[in-house]
Amino acid sequence: MGKLRFLIWIFALLIPVWSQAQSDSLQIQPSDSLKTTIRKDSVVIEGDIETTINYYAEDSIVTIVSESKIYLYGNAKVDYGDISLTATQIELNQATNEVIARGVPDSTGRLRGTPVFKQGGQNYEADSMRYNFKSQRGVISGIVTQQGEGYMQSQKGKRLADGTIYARNSQYTTCNLKHPHWYINSSKIKMVPDKQVITGPFNMVIADIPTPLGFAFGIFPFTETRRSGIIVPVYGESADRGFFLRQGGYYWAVSEYMSAEFLGEIYTNGSWGLNTRLNYIKRYRFNGNASIRFNRRFQGEDEDRNTFDDFWINWAHSPTPRGKSSFSASVNFGSSKFNVRNDFNPNNQLANNFSSSISFRTSFDIKTTTVSLGLSARQDQNSRSGVMNVTLPDLNLAVNRIYPFKRPGVTAKNFIQKINMSYSASGTARFTNANPSGSFPFKVFNPDTVNIDQNNEAPGFFEDFDRVLRQGQYGIIHRIPISTSMKFLKYFSLNPSLNYTEAWYPYKLDYTFIEEEQAVRIDTNYEFARAYSYSVAAGLTTRIYGTFQFAGKKNPNRKLQSIRHTMIPTVSFGFKPDFSDEKFGFFKNVTVATTDTTTTTRLVSRFQGFNPGSPASTGESGIISFSLQNVFEAKIKPRTDTAQVKKIKLLDNLSFNGSYNLVADSLNLSNISIGARTKLFNIIDFNFTGSLDPYIYLRTFRDDGTFIQRRVNTYAWNAGRGIGQLRNFNISLSANFTPESFKSKSKQKINQAQDKENLSPDEAQELEYIQANPELYVDFDIPWTLQASYNISYNKTGFLDARIEQQINFSGDLSLTKTWKIGFRSGYDITRKAVSFTNIDIFKDLHCWEMRFNWNPFGNFQSYNFTISVKSALLQDLKINRQRSFYDRDFF
């Protein structure tokens, strides 16, 4: 085999060819070399190089037999195993196992076709390069290489066999420009591939200006994949706990899709804390994070020393919509005083209410009917009162609408076939540490009742868990709506319906008045109990069209051709019986104390405060509802005869709504509500809402000149006061002047970024966050935006003075240059003659940096802050900045 390789080598050298070398190629005597037009070839050499060297050149290949050298010209390329080297000129020395590559200066003296070296996942670009295939070492001049999101530029460097590079006069930066905006300057740098950059003494250079920021040495980790390592803590001093080390610990890169942090904190007064945080992502499936925090805090000295143990749990899980099933979670719960004692985020310290939810939803088909199933758990907590409510589980079942009298695949033709029904059920188990007697409109006397103490704090949920379980609430509620539709007198649609609701409970309540205590004892009867309600309704509606023609035979070219008026009147009737009647057994007349000596009787539900609530309600109801909707459209003739007639909306909606209660003893007619909506000049959104009171008010004056008023059962038109009093109205004018083309370009840019296949898991997660929260970012490709609104409201009841309020608000941003943008938000309260909350933001896109100056010049939040930070490579590509407040920092 060795002889065969030798013969192949000799044969390749003896092939007679013509030279195609250019004038700037190396000149060689014919007796010493062969000039070949073979632009692609390979050699196999025994010895230290044990694989095939493939080489290629677009211009020419020159072989010098006596020196065992091969010269490649014009987009030359050499492949050896997993090594690939490209350059304008390459010299291959088979005697020394070396390859030398360099670029060629053009007419301006700038190097073109500089060497690019690739091995595995490592890429280097340099002005010139010498590499030994045997030792796998090299010398590189003018090197530029990327590792992770970092870039290193050096005047000269050595590459070892393991890929480590030692370089002098180097720059390390995250800016991907040849002339970076900032870099770390060091005379000595060691770069370990896929691991870290280690420097000697260094300082930071910003905009070519050296700064004193630096240190005697530096370690800058980077990797294409996550690596485990130490997290350096931050240090400082707390007024109540002393000096501290905080947020230090260990980062564990579990896998490409999962990472964990183990953090701790310690204070000189003995307080300490632990925090474990887990991040995970599965692209196109789900992503989330979870954390568990525990803190032991000591307060005071010696005998007055108090100990507080607090914990907090967070979990957020977001699925990517896919298939028929999904699981999501948002969990925030823990000790009631955790955030006050241990959280450094002002938003969390001031917040009183926290909630959590975990849900799973799926659907499946039974023949032609789809059934949806949801299972969830919910928790809400008030950190001030200590009240915690937990719903576990919360089960929801829904069956899609079915048509029992219609054959599948056949369109329903009559009202019998159009009869449809659906079914839904929800079952809950609810637990709380709140005082259950708080839901009753009287004084409760029960031996086991635990009242909230004088500090307005409820007993702990877990500390009093036995009572919490004993007072748990359980129930299932069923709903069955049935409806159909039919044509009536050809142009009318009649829609009758029946709604039935029933709830099941494992117990019900009984009430006994204890005279000596002047209170009511509540007894729980543990037996199956049910409460139900039903109602019937029917609605009649039609459409009436009217057209006003303006163009006729005499003036066919009139611009306004016609106006079309569409009216949609609707009349409906609904009836519900009084379920407080004794025959149903859902309510009980209870004797309650009004004073220490007098009593009265109140109607109380046997399911008072139950979860889910009772469907049975008091009072009979027979209501006729009516509404009238109006739409006005116009046809406009264009200036050219070839264009089609344009239809525009003059008034999107003008509506009137009201109702009349047939069973009420007085004031049967409700207020008449009015609404209008349209778009003015295709820019300004106009909204009007208001109501008319059809009854009059009478007033009686007191001796001091004040008066009391009451609403009486007399219509305004019968008293000569028109159709009624304008009770209230609200007019809103708003406009968004940002061109839609800008918005679409911004969305398109983000969508194009998501289509890239080389996004890392972190970049994919960051892009999803940008899509979900576009308001948190500033897009420099949008030159300007402007939103403005004006609002006026009016309220008047009877003879009282009218109350009028007016506000003007505006916000927007303006790109001063391609990298400078100013944002603003403010307004003016015309009624109070005061400037509302005002905020001014100045953004600067520094390519690899981002800068923000925020100023609140007025009010309680008067402040300013300045932030500057390095941008991720993804934000550089998208040309957007992240908006952050001065306290926006991740606290785990």
Side-chain angles (χ1 to χ4, degrees), residues 824-867:
F824 53 88
R825 180 177 64 179
S826 186
Y828 185 76
D829 192 319
I830 300 175
T831 304
R832 297 174 177 83
K833 298 181 180 180
V835 177
S836 59
F837 179 80
T838 300
N839 178 267
I840 298 175
D841 285 307
I842 300 176
F843 302 95
K844 171 64 174 176
D845 181 11
L846 300 171
H847 183 255
C848 51
W849 292 74
E850 59 185 21
M851 182 272 286
R852 179 187 184 217
F853 177 79
N854 176 265
W855 181 31
N856 298 330
F858 311 113
N860 297 330
F861 298 96
Q862 182 177 355
S863 63
Y864 69 88
N865 62 84
F866 176 82
T867 57

Side-chain angles (χ1 to χ4, degrees), residues 376-382 387-395 426-439 461 465-476 505-507 608-613:
S376 63
R378 298 191 308 274
Q379 174 263 350
D380 61 83
Q381 177 179 359
N382 186 290
V387 172
M388 181 185 295
N389 303 306
V390 176
T391 303
L392 176 68
D394 187 353
L395 177 66
S426 59
T428 62
R430 186 174 183 267
F431 308 92
T432 180
N433 62 332
N435 183 5
S437 63
S439 62
F461 186 90
F465 196 62
D466 289 341
R467 183 180 69 88
V468 169
L469 287 178
R470 187 170 63 254
Q471 296 180 349
Q473 298 177 347
Y474 313 89
I476 300 176
Y505 309 102
Y507 48 79
Q608 181 78 23
F610 279 26
N611 186 58

Side-chain angles (χ1 to χ4, degrees), residues 491-781:
Y491 298 106
F492 293 87
S493 296
L494 182 64
N495 302 288
S497 62
L498 167 66
N499 290 278
Y500 181 80
T501 304
E502 181 170 319
W504 295 347
Y505 309 102
Y507 48 79
K508 63 181 178 180
L509 303 179
D510 199 5
Y511 308 97
T512 305
F513 180 68
I514 309 299
E515 186 174 358
E516 56 270 20
E517 297 290 341
Q518 290 292 294
V520 176
R521 187 182 73 234
I522 302 176
D523 298 313
T524 303
N525 297 329
Y526 290 94
E527 59 183 35
F528 175 76
R530 55 190 285 264
Y532 59 84
S533 69
Y534 54 82
S535 63
V536 293
L540 185 67
T541 184
T542 188
R543 285 177 178 263
I544 303 173
Y545 301 95
T547 303
F548 304 91
Q549 297 289 346
F550 294 93
K553 295 181 179 180
K554 295 182 179 181
N555 191 5
N557 296 321
R558 191 167 183 174
K559 186 174 182 180
L560 179 59
Q561 295 281 296
S562 63
I563 292 179
R564 185 183 188 185
H565 178 201
T566 303
M567 293 187 296
I568 309 175
T570 302
V571 179
S572 60
F573 171 76
F575 173 77
K576 179 183 70 67
D578 182 6
F579 290 99
S580 64
D581 194 298
E582 292 184 1
K583 66 180 181 181
F584 294 105
F586 303 149
F587 289 81
K588 182 179 181 180
N589 283 311
V590 181
T591 301
V592 299
T594 55
T595 65
D596 292 339
T597 58
T598 62
T599 61
T600 188
T601 301
R602 286 192 178 180
L603 198 63
V604 184
S605 172
R606 291 180 177 271
F607 311 99
Q608 181 78 23
F610 279 26
N611 186 58
S614 171
S617 59
T618 61
E620 186 182 20
S621 174
I623 297 177
I624 297 177
S625 301
F626 52 88
S627 69
L628 176 64
Q629 298 182 44
N630 300 267
V631 179
F632 294 87
E633 299 171 304
K635 287 186 177 181
I636 305 296
K637 183 178 177 62
R639 295 181 179 179
T640 59
D641 295 335
T642 56
Q644 295 181 351
V645 175
K646 186 178 181 180
K647 180 188 293 186
I648 62 173
K649 282 192 175 182
L650 301 177
L651 195 58
D652 291 344
N653 185 35
L654 174 62
S655 61
F656 304 90
N657 298 274
S659 63
Y660 188 89
N661 193 338
L662 297 174
V663 299
D665 56 359
S666 62
L667 303 175
N668 306 73
L669 184 62
S670 70
N671 288 349
I672 308 300
S673 61
I674 306 170
R677 183 184 71 252
T678 190
K679 201 174 190 70
L680 304 175
F681 312 110
N682 206 30
I683 297 176
I684 302 175
D685 290 317
F686 170 86
N687 280 277
F688 172 89
T689 58
S691 65
L692 287 171
D693 190 340
Y695 294 99
I696 66 171
Y697 286 78
L698 297 180
R699 59 180 173 175
T700 304
F701 286 91
R702 300 188 182 98
D703 294 338
D704 58 0
T706 61
F707 64 88
I708 58 173
Q709 63 177 13
R710 58 190 179 92
R711 194 172 181 231
V712 297
N713 194 34
T714 302
Y715 292 119
W717 50 83
N718 291 335
R721 300 184 185 180
I723 61 174
Q725 182 188 56
L726 182 61
R727 183 74 176 267
N728 59 67
F729 73 81
N730 181 276
I731 297 176
S732 174
L733 299 172
S734 62
N736 187 341
F737 297 100
T738 305
E740 289 294 332
S741 57
F742 295 161
K743 299 179 184 178
S744 60
K745 286 181 180 179
S746 181
K747 293 180 181 179
Q748 184 179 7
K749 180 173 60 175
I750 296 176
N751 292 335
Q752 288 175 348
Q754 190 166 15
D755 292 338
K756 294 181 180 179
E757 297 181 356
N758 58 348
L759 287 179
S760 66
D762 289 337
E763 289 177 329
Q765 188 172 8
E766 186 174 15
L767 192 61
E768 290 179 5
Y769 186 79
I770 293 172
Q771 289 177 315
N773 304 275
E775 72 282 357
L776 299 182
Y777 294 85
V778 179
D779 194 335
F780 281 83
D781 286 341

Side-chain angles (χ1 to χ4, degrees), residues 156-265:
K156 196 167 186 178
K158 289 184 178 180
R159 183 190 185 278
L160 304 185
D162 61 356
T164 301
I165 293 180
Y166 292 88
R168 290 187 175 274
N169 301 325
S170 301
Q171 304 171 358
Y172 180 73
T173 179
T174 58
C175 184
N176 58 4
L177 298 179
K178 187 173 184 180
H179 188 77
H181 293 100
W182 78 278
Y183 56 87
I184 291 170
N185 186 41
S186 179
S187 60
K188 296 180 180 180
I189 278 186
K190 175 184 177 181
M191 187 188 72
V192 183
D194 298 329
K195 189 174 182 182
Q196 60 193 6
V197 167
I198 304 173
T199 76
F202 72 90
N203 72 299
M204 184 177 293
V205 178
I206 300 176
D208 295 330
I209 301 176
T211 71
L213 301 174
F215 202 66
F217 66 92
I219 300 176
F220 306 95
F222 57 81
T223 176
E224 291 296 329
T225 58
R226 294 184 175 93
R227 292 288 182 92
S228 303
I230 301 296
I231 299 175
V232 180
V234 297
Y235 60 89
E237 183 181 8
S238 174
D240 59 342
R241 281 176 277 186
F243 293 96
F244 62 78
L245 291 175
R246 195 162 60 213
Q247 296 180 359
Y250 187 75
Y251 175 84
W252 180 27
V254 182
S255 69
E256 181 182 357
Y257 307 103
M258 185 180 295
S259 64
E261 292 176 346
F262 304 94
L263 304 177
E265 56 187 69

Side-chain angles (χ1 to χ4, degrees), residues 144-372:
V144 178
T145 182
Q146 178 182 3
Q147 295 291 333
E149 290 191 2
Y151 300 85
M152 190 181 78
Q153 301 182 19
S154 304
Q155 291 185 359
K156 196 167 186 178
K158 289 184 178 180
R159 183 190 185 278
L160 304 185
D162 61 356
T164 301
I165 293 180
Y166 292 88
R168 290 187 175 274
N169 301 325
S170 301
Q171 304 171 358
Y172 180 73
T173 179
T174 58
C175 184
N176 58 4
L177 298 179
K178 187 173 184 180
H179 188 77
H181 293 100
W182 78 278
Y183 56 87
I184 291 170
N185 186 41
S186 179
S187 60
K188 296 180 180 180
I189 278 186
K190 175 184 177 181
M191 187 188 72
V192 183
D194 298 329
K195 189 174 182 182
Q196 60 193 6
V197 167
I198 304 173
T199 76
F202 72 90
N203 72 299
M204 184 177 293
V205 178
I206 300 176
D208 295 330
I209 301 176
T211 71
L213 301 174
F215 202 66
F217 66 92
I219 300 176
F220 306 95
F222 57 81
T223 176
E224 291 296 329
T225 58
R226 294 184 175 93
R227 292 288 182 92
S228 303
I230 301 296
I231 299 175
V232 180
V234 297
Y235 60 89
E237 183 181 8
S238 174
D240 59 342
R241 281 176 277 186
F243 293 96
F244 62 78
L245 291 175
R246 195 162 60 213
Q247 296 180 359
Y250 187 75
Y251 175 84
W252 180 27
V254 182
S255 69
E256 181 182 357
Y257 307 103
M258 185 180 295
S259 64
E261 292 176 346
F262 304 94
L263 304 177
E265 56 187 69
I266 188 170
Y267 300 81
T268 52
N269 80 331
S271 301
W272 55 274
L274 297 174
N275 173 26
T276 300
R277 181 180 175 90
L278 178 70
N279 293 278
Y280 57 90
I281 182 173
K282 182 67 173 178
R283 197 172 181 185
Y284 306 124
R285 298 294 297 274
F286 56 80
N287 67 79
N289 61 78
S291 68
I292 301 176
R293 301 166 61 184
F294 176 83
N295 283 74
R296 170 164 289 183
R297 179 181 176 180
F298 296 106
Q299 190 177 43
E301 299 292 340
D302 301 331
E303 292 83 4
D304 296 330
R305 189 178 180 90
N306 296 317
T307 303
F308 303 98
D309 290 339
D310 298 298
F311 74 95
W312 197 261
I313 297 175
N314 293 95
W315 180 30
H317 178 91
S318 301
T320 300
R322 187 174 181 177
K324 295 183 177 181
S325 302
S326 66
F327 174 81
S328 62
S330 176
V331 175
N332 300 278
F333 83 95
S335 303
S336 60
K337 298 298 181 182
F338 180 92
N339 292 287
V340 176
R341 295 174 182 145
N342 304 284
D343 205 307
F344 301 94
N345 187 327
N347 286 341
N348 290 341
Q349 287 185 347
L350 297 175
N352 293 325
N353 296 301
F354 297 90
S355 61
S356 305
S357 64
I358 302 174
S359 63
F360 171 77
R361 298 188 179 280
T362 188
S363 62
F364 51 90
D365 296 329
I366 300 178
K367 295 185 178 180
T368 59
T369 304
T370 300
V371 179
S372 300

Side-chain angles (χ1 to χ4, degrees), residues 80-98:
Y80 173 72
D82 64 341
I83 296 174
S84 174
L85 177 64
T86 59
T88 298
Q89 289 186 5
I90 296 179
E91 175 186 336
L92 183 63
N93 191 325
Q94 299 166 13
T96 60
N97 299 326
E98 287 185 345

